[in-house]
């Protein structure tokens, strides 16, 4: 049986891609969602760091109708320092770990926080 | 229909008949050098496959599509202005965008942009010169734009299905490069082949590009986001 040249190279190419793909596309440990709670007190203080190219923890639980103060530690770099929570009108460049945003969540629910470019994201849970 | 004729040509002895063979040789050479590097060095790097595997895999597939197109252009050497500009622009953009995208995803916008622009501009000039200065200019602009755009896109998508987007970008680029090969075939049906690079050309460029890409991804400088 004569195999056509085109078929032969197509088959060989596909085999090569499948074998290499099987090896190279094995999954690593995916980034996990980590939940953090705000500290108790009159102002709920939250310090967010950076891990796996995203905010860490990336899920934060706070109480409604109680002021929240969020700062970013020194591990947070690049555009992730430009911190936004659209639903609460928060948008501020937190240049140093001493800078913070402060607001009082008046509505309960789940809200997204992100950097200004939307590259780093997380969830703010107001209970 | 000429598309059917083109498909038939892929199995013939003209230069088009070597496209599939060139893809296979390029893939084989690239995966061989990667396996060699992995065995002696890369396997000792923590999380090498989860961190770099997908981007190296797609880089190698991309080079296996770009190199045959370069070989196809070099076989005819000279083109009319319109075709030459399209060749310079397509190869410059795709080479710049894809390499910038993959390196950007592992090293950041700066190094991804620089590498993408360098490769895009180099290949854009090399292939665009088939029609003179207009093709060269088109190649420079396309490589410059593609390299930067690729790196920016991947970094901006780090937390938003970057891996799926990498496959989509690669798929679209494959379609565009196939279109370029078809265009070259249509434009050159009446022309004589001016030269045919042998397998060494494919092997050399595949090895070089894969080695450089791997080296930059694993050992190259990174932006603060990736440090």
């Amino acid at each position: 049986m004569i195999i056509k040249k085109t078929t032969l190279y197509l088959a060989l190419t596909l085999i090569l891609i499948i074998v290499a793909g099987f090896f190279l596309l094995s999954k690593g440990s995916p980034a996990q969602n980590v939940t953090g709670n705000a500290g108790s007190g009159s102002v709920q203080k939250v310090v967010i760091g950076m891990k796996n190219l995203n905010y860490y923890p990336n899920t934060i639980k706070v109480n409604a109708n109680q002021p929240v103060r969020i700062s970013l530690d020194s591990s947070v770099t690049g555009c992730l320092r430009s911190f936004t929570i659209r639903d609460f009108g928060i948008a501020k460049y937190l240049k140093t770990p001493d800078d913070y945003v402060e607001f009082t969540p008046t509505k309960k629910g789940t809200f997204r926080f992100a950097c200004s470019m939307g590259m780093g994201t997380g969830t703010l849970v107001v209970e | 229909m000429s598309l059917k004729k083109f498909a038939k040509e892929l199995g013939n002895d003209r230069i088009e008949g070597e496209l599939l063979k060139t893809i296979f040789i390029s893939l084989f050479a690239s995966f061989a050098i990667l396996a060699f590097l992995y065995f002696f060095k890369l396997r000792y790097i923590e999380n090498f496959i989860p961190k770099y595997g997908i981007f190296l895999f797609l880089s190698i597939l991309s080079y296996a599509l770009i190199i045959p197109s370069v070989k196809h252009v070099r076989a005819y050497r000279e083109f009319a202005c319109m075709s030459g500009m399209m060749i310079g622009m397509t190869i410059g953009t795709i080479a710049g965008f894809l390499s910038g995208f993959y390196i950007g995803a592992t090293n950041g916008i700066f190094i991804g942009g620089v590498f993408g622009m360098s490769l895009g501009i180099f290949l854009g000039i090399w292939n665009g010169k088939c029609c003179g200065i207009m093709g060269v200019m088109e190649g420079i602009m396309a490589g410059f734009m593609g390299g930067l755009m690729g790196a920016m896109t991947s970094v901006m998508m780090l937390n938003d299905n970057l891996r799926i987007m990498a496959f989509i970008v690669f798929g679209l680029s494959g379609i565009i490069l196939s279109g370029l090969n078809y265009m070259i075939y249509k434009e050159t049906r009446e022309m004589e082949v001016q030269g045919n690079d042998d397998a060494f050309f494919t092997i050399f460029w595949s090895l070089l590009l894969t080695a450089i890409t791997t080296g930059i991804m694993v050992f190259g400088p990174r932006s603060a986001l990736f440090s």
Side-chain angles (χ1 to χ4, degrees):
Chain A
M1 193 178 86
I2 300 166
I3 303 171
K4 274 175 71 180
K5 197 172 120 185
T6 323
T7 317
L8 177 70
Y9 281 118
L10 260 180
L12 288 173
T13 303
L14 279 175
I15 290 168
L16 202 55
I17 291 173
I18 290 167
V19 172
F22 181 76
F23 180 71
L24 286 170
L25 299 183
S26 55
K27 280 208 162 185
S29 55
Q32 292 171 340
N33 284 339
V34 181
T35 306
N37 292 313
S40 56
S42 57
V43 176
Q44 306 174 83
K45 291 180 182 171
V46 180
V47 179
I48 301 175
M50 191 171 117
K51 203 172 181 183
N52 293 325
L53 306 173
N54 199 4
Y55 291 116
Y56 180 90
N58 58 0
T59 302
I60 297 162
K61 288 182 179 170
V62 295
N63 298 322
N65 300 313
Q66 196 179 339
V68 178
R69 181 182 292 181
I70 299 176
S71 58
L72 306 175
D73 71 15
S74 56
S75 68
V76 181
T77 56
C79 79
L80 268 71
R81 295 212 70 88
S82 183
F83 189 79
T84 67
I85 310 175
R86 264 182 64 186
D87 295 291
F88 293 107
I90 304 289
K92 191 176 177 186
Y93 181 57
L94 304 176
K95 196 174 179 184
T96 67
D98 298 327
D99 298 325
Y100 57 84
V101 291
E102 193 168 308
F103 62 100
T104 304
T106 50
K107 48 190 174 183
K108 290 182 180 179
T110 301
F111 309 95
R112 298 294 286 173
F113 63 85
C115 74
S116 57
M117 288 172 77
M119 286 164 50
T121 59
T123 307
L124 178 74
V125 182
V126 183
E127 294 171 327
Chain B
M1 199 183 151
S2 47
L3 193 62
K4 274 187 182 168
K5 280 185 190 167
F6 176 62
K8 270 188 186 170
E9 283 287 349
L10 292 176
N12 290 345
D13 290 331
R14 247 171 84 100
I15 187 72
E16 285 77 15
E18 295 207 0
L19 288 176
L20 280 174
K21 184 178 157 189
T22 309
I23 291 173
F24 173 72
I25 292 173
S26 173
L27 284 176
F28 188 80
S30 296
F31 284 130
I33 183 82
L34 187 64
F36 179 80
L37 292 173
Y38 183 79
F39 185 76
F40 286 104
K41 181 89 182 162
L42 302 175
R43 68 180 165 143
Y44 301 112
I45 291 167
E46 195 184 352
N47 281 330
F48 172 74
I49 298 290
K51 260 168 107 175
Y52 307 110
I54 180 176
F55 299 112
L56 276 174
F57 178 68
L58 288 173
S59 300
I60 288 171
L61 294 193
S62 303
Y63 296 143
L65 289 179
I66 293 166
I67 292 167
S69 298
V70 174
K71 193 179 165 184
H72 201 181
V73 174
R74 281 173 55 81
Y76 295 103
R77 310 261 190 234
E78 288 186 1
F79 286 82
C81 263
M82 287 290 277
S83 313
M85 282 171 69
M86 185 54 84
I87 288 168
M89 185 175 71
T90 309
I91 294 184
T93 308
I94 298 295
F97 191 96
L98 290 177
S99 54
F101 189 94
Y102 303 137
I103 300 270
T106 55
N107 295 53
I109 292 181
F110 176 74
I111 190 73
V114 169
F115 183 72
M117 281 193 294
S118 308
L119 186 63
I121 290 173
F122 170 70
L123 289 179
I125 293 174
W126 192 21
N127 291 278
K129 74 181 170 68
C130 64
C131 79
I133 186 66
M134 284 173 78
V136 170
M137 288 299 295
E138 193 69 52
I140 293 172
M141 288 188 291
F144 158 62
M145 216 162 56
L148 269 181
M149 269 166 44
M152 280 194 294
T153 308
S154 63
V155 172
M156 287 182 72
M157 296 197 69
L158 281 171
N159 289 307
D160 188 11
N161 298 308
L162 172 66
R163 285 162 183 247
I164 296 171
M165 182 53 98
F167 280 99
I168 294 171
V169 165
F170 169 74
L172 286 173
S173 302
I175 293 169
I176 293 166
L177 285 174
S178 306
L180 181 74
N181 289 126
Y182 176 59
M183 187 205 81
I184 295 170
Y185 165 72
K186 274 196 83 174
E187 294 289 313
T188 55
R189 269 185 298 182
E190 308 300 322
M191 286 167 65
E192 286 292 315
V193 173
Q194 302 292 314
N196 190 1
D197 294 307
D198 55 17
F200 177 75
F201 173 88
T202 311
I203 293 170
F204 173 76
W205 284 105
S206 303
L207 293 183
L208 188 71
L209 289 173
T210 304
I212 291 174
T213 306
T214 310
I216 291 177
M217 269 189 194
V218 181
F219 305 109
R222 285 158 210 284
S223 61
L225 196 62
F226 294 83
S227 57

